[in-house]
Amino acid sequence: MDRVALRGLKARGHHGVFPKEREEGQTFIVDLVLGLDTRPAAADDDLAKTVHYGIVAEEVVDVVQGEPVDLIETLAERIAQQCLSHDGVQEVEVVVHKPDAPITVPFDDVTITITRSRR
């Protein structure tokens, strides 16, 4: 299986369990690895035979900016399902970063990584 990766997609969302997170929002960063067979697209040099990563990026940003959820696990699942809605995408790895999570000790980042497939 071939891989198309998008790294560092940034969007502001209002996800979290605390009222301040819901009210003020924060930046979320998303990394994606889409698994698909790119041979048909490469053979014909045809965008219609692969995944349009620009559209995927816009859809992911829409999910992050969309309906708030409590958990980044739920957000990651929604993103994965959106990616799998594209016919050619057989598998997706989603990493959601929450670098401004409300943690009281010094830290660099909080992430969730999930892998979902059509299987």
Side-chain angles (χ1 to χ4, degrees), residues 10 13 23 27 30-31 33 35 38-39 45 59 65 73 76 79-80 82-83 85 88 96 99 103 108-110 114 117:
K10 292 184 179 118
E23 292 164 12
T27 298
V30 178
D31 302 325
V33 180
T38 63
R39 288 176 292 192
D45 198 27
E59 292 171 348
Q65 292 175 339
E73 292 86 344
I79 291 167
Q82 180 60 49
C83 293
S85 74
V96 175
I103 297 175
D108 289 330
D109 199 4
V110 173
I114 66 170
S117 67

Side-chain angles (χ1 to χ4, degrees), residues 23-72:
E23 292 164 12
E24 296 178 10
Q26 60 192 291
T27 298
F28 293 84
I29 302 165
V30 178
D31 302 325
L32 301 173
V33 180
L34 307 171
L36 64 154
D37 183 357
T38 63
R39 288 176 292 192
D44 295 337
D45 198 27
D46 186 353
L47 176 60
K49 295 182 178 180
T50 188
V51 64
H52 190 309
Y53 50 79
I55 290 173
V56 171
E58 290 171 359
E59 292 171 348
V60 168
V61 166
D62 286 346
V63 171
V64 174
Q65 292 175 339
E67 181 185 346
V69 296
D70 288 344
L71 304 176
I72 60 173

